[in-house]
Amino acid sequence: MLNLFGFGNKEDEKNKTDPKKKDKDFSSSSSSSDGGGGAQNSQSQSMGDTASTMENFKTQQVVGKRTSSLLEELSSTTITGIAPGGKVKVFVSGQQRPKGIEIDDSYLGVVTPEDLVADITAAMQDAHFKSTEHMNKKMQILYSELGLPATS
């Protein structure tokens, strides 16, 4: 059984009924090769671990807030992908969500269905590439500001 609070443990129940075992466990933890300061070192280590954990928690909160802010910024950013010739444009958010397509009216009258599909596909690929580049740049800036290692 996992005991998170340090009471109600079967070992504790055994120690209550056997005072020799309880005293033995206590005395062995306080005597060490450093002159009896084992419990004190353990307490100092525990306090250091707690401080480190709290610092990590604060850092994670900052990272979470900044990441959330960045995602909000990316979702409100519009990236435009343009097909060769410029007659077809595709719009996506900074998070690569499709937002729309724009096709030049004069182009619709002369283009074949196959060429239109090819241009839409090319514009989508351009928008995806630009959006990915934009997002990666923003993430690199965030990592740098937070002192985190950059990703490749």
Side-chain angles (χ1 to χ4, degrees):
M1 170 175 31
L2 177 61
N3 184 0
L4 299 176
F5 299 104
F7 55 88
N9 191 339
K10 290 182 181 180
E11 273 302 309
D12 289 342
E13 293 300 319
K14 288 180 189 175
N15 289 342
K16 285 181 184 176
T17 59
D18 187 1
K20 290 180 183 175
K21 183 169 183 175
K22 186 173 181 180
D23 290 341
K24 181 179 177 187
D25 288 344
F26 178 77
S27 65
S28 67
S29 68
S30 64
S31 63
S32 66
S33 61
D34 65 355
Q40 195 172 30
N41 286 343
S42 175
Q43 186 178 13
S44 295
Q45 179 65 34
S46 177
M47 289 175 61
D49 290 347
T50 301
S52 176
T53 300
M54 290 178 68
E55 187 62 34
N56 286 340
F57 182 70
K58 286 179 186 178
T59 301
Q60 289 173 357
Q61 284 183 320
V62 170
V63 170
K65 286 179 184 177
R66 296 288 305 274
T67 301
S68 177
S69 175
L70 175 61
L71 291 175
E72 190 175 313
E73 178 187 336
L74 288 172
S75 70
S76 65
T77 302
T78 300
I79 308 292
T80 304
I82 304 172
K87 303 290 185 180
V88 176
K89 297 178 183 175
V90 172
F91 306 98
V92 297
S93 74
Q95 292 181 315
Q96 302 174 354
R97 290 193 177 105
K99 292 181 109 179
I101 297 175
E102 181 180 293
I103 302 171
D104 187 306
D105 289 336
S106 63
Y107 187 58
L108 281 175
V110 296
V111 68
T112 65
E114 294 81 14
D115 288 341
L116 181 60
V117 168
D119 284 347
I120 292 172
T121 301
M124 288 171 55
Q125 290 171 340
D126 185 49
H128 180 266
F129 176 79
K130 288 177 180 176
S131 178
T132 302
E133 286 284 309
H134 180 73
M135 185 171 49
N136 285 338
K137 285 178 187 174
K138 291 289 188 177
M139 292 300 292
Q140 293 301 324
I141 291 168
L142 174 66
Y143 289 164
S144 174
E145 288 173 352
L146 295 172
L148 298 172
T151 60
S152 52

